Amino acid sequence: MSEKELRAKAARLDEADELAASRKLFALEDPEHPEGVVYLDGNSLGALPHAVPGRLAEVVGREWGELRIRSWTESGWWEAPERVGDRIAPLVGAAPGQIVVGDSTSVNVFKAVVGAVRLAPEGRDEVLVDAVTFPTDGYIAESAARMTGCAVRAVRPDEMAAEVGPRTAAVLVNHVDYRTGELHDLPGVTAAAHAAGALVVADLCHSAGALPVGLDEHRVDLAVGCTYKYLNGGPGSPAYLYIARRHQERFDSPLPGWHGHREPFAMTPEFVPAEGVLRGRVGTPDLLSMLALEAALTVWDGVDIAAVRAKSLALTDFFLQALDTCLPPGRVRLITPTEHERRGSQIALECPDAEQVMERLIARGIVGDFRRPGVLRFGFTPLYTSFTDVERAARVLGEVAEATG
């Protein structure tokens, strides 16, 4: 297919895009690039929804500036962690009352892994960890295992279902690989873990907001995720913890804070956990980020996550087709699976001079990122990425790759 034909196809696909109107909900302008920026780094930091600045100004000026301490009750600050959790719930296939927002992903991984081991049958002393996980998950799992008297065993995600056994207490697995964009078989791993009597902790950082997750449907036990990627919550926005309703009564948090107490203002020396998912709370939440996230999540009102997934696959399919046309042969190597059932919403390319190539792409208004050693990453966020964006990104990547090759 010629470049002219690619442009024509992109225009046709944009015209038929049922999510095209959602693009208007985001701030995508850049004064350095009057022709516009193609933002393909939403898998690291989502774009700013237009609703957020005004909401933050209201929180700072009115709720903090005027109401001050009264806002804990009059502005609903106290209930924000579970209220925002209920907004995230449909995006990951969870019923209300099972997600609480607060703390970082790392803190929630720790709570979830320790909690899973404590929920597991007695006598189990092994935690399986995704061998290609984001490094922090591995670090946290090691610490959680030491605390609970377990050993950590690293296993590739495609081998987890076969490796889980009678000694396994918990399995920590990423739904989508942060480096390659590979989509792992979360339902299969969960079923195998349950058959062996173990629990599953899922890391959803690179899948929530990009594709259906089905936490309740697949009976995942615990899950964690960040909110600053596909959920567009902003830098440092709080993470979330999912505790399946069937486990909430027995969930024993390793971080029992006063916000997770049944009577937080009783100030008693003994900790009595709150009912339900609230026992996943710890201390005072980061309200400014929390309320910015709540405003950001309004872009999802009325959006069908199945339509998001369909567009994600169409965008990544089109990008791969455009790369075949625009890139010099052999200049990069695709490391993201081509099969739809194994692909997240990211395309990763091995490229020996990835850092230099990405610097030149960004200078020309095509924003992705790279991972050492030698990987270009392009994240496709269906709510604001167009097919015209994709065609331009592939064309400019071809020009840069040829010039630097």
Side-chain angles (χ1 to χ4, degrees), residues 14-160:
D14 279 337
E15 190 174 341
D17 177 18
E18 64 180 280
L19 296 176
S22 63
R23 184 179 176 91
K24 300 175 183 177
L25 301 176
F26 292 87
L28 299 168
E29 303 79 14
D30 187 335
E32 294 184 12
H33 298 280
E35 75 280 18
V37 166
V38 176
Y39 190 65
L40 300 180
D41 208 7
N43 55 329
S44 282
L45 176 65
L48 171 68
H50 283 303
V52 172
R55 175 60 179 136
L56 269 179
E58 178 185 18
V59 171
V60 172
R62 167 69 175 159
E63 296 181 9
W64 180 15
E66 297 177 8
L67 296 178
R68 291 173 287 275
I69 198 72
R70 292 162 52 196
S71 277
W72 283 103
T73 53
E74 295 181 31
S75 301
W77 286 2
W78 187 269
E79 299 82 12
E82 56 266 34
R83 185 177 70 242
V84 180
D86 282 347
R87 289 206 73 124
I88 293 172
L91 302 178
V92 293
Q98 298 179 98
I99 293 179
V100 65
V101 175
D103 306 312
S104 68
T105 307
S106 301
V107 171
N108 283 311
V109 169
F110 181 73
K111 288 188 280 187
V113 173
V114 174
V117 173
R118 290 175 174 177
L119 285 165
E122 289 188 13
R124 294 179 178 241
D125 60 359
E126 175 184 77
V127 175
L128 296 189
V129 176
D130 176 349
V132 290
T133 188
F134 188 77
T136 295
D137 280 18
Y139 307 155
I140 296 293
E142 288 279 1
S143 178
R146 289 196 302 271
M147 181 177 178
T148 55
C150 290
V152 167
R153 185 157 64 97
V155 177
R156 290 191 57 82
D158 57 356
E159 299 172 349
M160 276 187 163

Side-chain angles (χ1 to χ4, degrees), residues 382-405:
L383 291 189
Y384 56 79
T385 303
S386 71
F387 291 92
T388 299
D389 289 338
V390 171
E391 184 277 328
R392 181 180 156 202
R395 176 164 37 86
V396 175
L397 174 57
E399 294 168 4
V400 167
E402 187 167 10
T404 59

Side-chain angles (χ1 to χ4, degrees), residues 265-281:
F265 291 98
M267 303 297 174
T268 60
E270 300 83 17
F271 179 77
V272 181
E275 296 291 333
V277 76
L278 295 184
R279 63 182 56 199
R281 291 178 66 162

Side-chain angles (χ1 to χ4, degrees), residues 225-369:
C226 64
T227 61
Y228 49 79
K229 300 182 191 296
Y230 294 103
L231 299 184
N232 312 295
S237 58
Y240 56 90
L241 171 66
Y242 164 87
I243 308 172
R245 197 178 308 280
R246 64 187 180 278
H247 294 310
Q248 289 176 7
E249 186 178 345
R250 293 181 54 235
F251 179 76
D252 182 8
S253 175
L255 297 173
W258 73 290
H259 273 240
H261 197 288
R262 184 172 298 178
E263 296 184 61
F265 291 98
M267 303 297 174
T268 60
E270 300 83 17
F271 179 77
V272 181
E275 296 291 333
V277 76
L278 295 184
R279 63 182 56 199
R281 291 178 66 162
V282 183
T284 305
D286 37 6
L287 260 299
L288 295 181
S289 292
M290 180 88 65
L291 299 175
L293 168 63
E294 185 173 31
L297 290 169
T298 60
V299 301
W300 292 95
D301 291 348
V303 174
D304 182 356
I305 196 67
V308 171
R309 176 59 169 165
K311 183 179 176 182
S312 165
L313 291 171
L315 287 168
T316 48
D317 280 344
F318 184 56
F319 187 61
L320 294 177
Q321 184 179 37
L323 292 180
D324 286 339
T325 297
C326 300
L327 272 177
R331 183 66 173 84
V332 302
R333 185 177 75 87
L334 175 68
I335 58 174
T336 303
T338 56
E339 305 95 320
H340 284 185
E341 65 273 15
R342 296 182 58 218
R343 188 195 312 165
S345 200
Q346 170 185 313
I347 294 295
L349 307 170
E350 273 192 350
C351 177
D353 52 345
E355 187 168 356
Q356 180 185 10
V357 168
M358 187 53 67
E359 286 177 357
R360 295 192 177 191
L361 282 173
I362 292 171
R364 294 187 57 179
I366 311 298
V367 181
D369 71 2

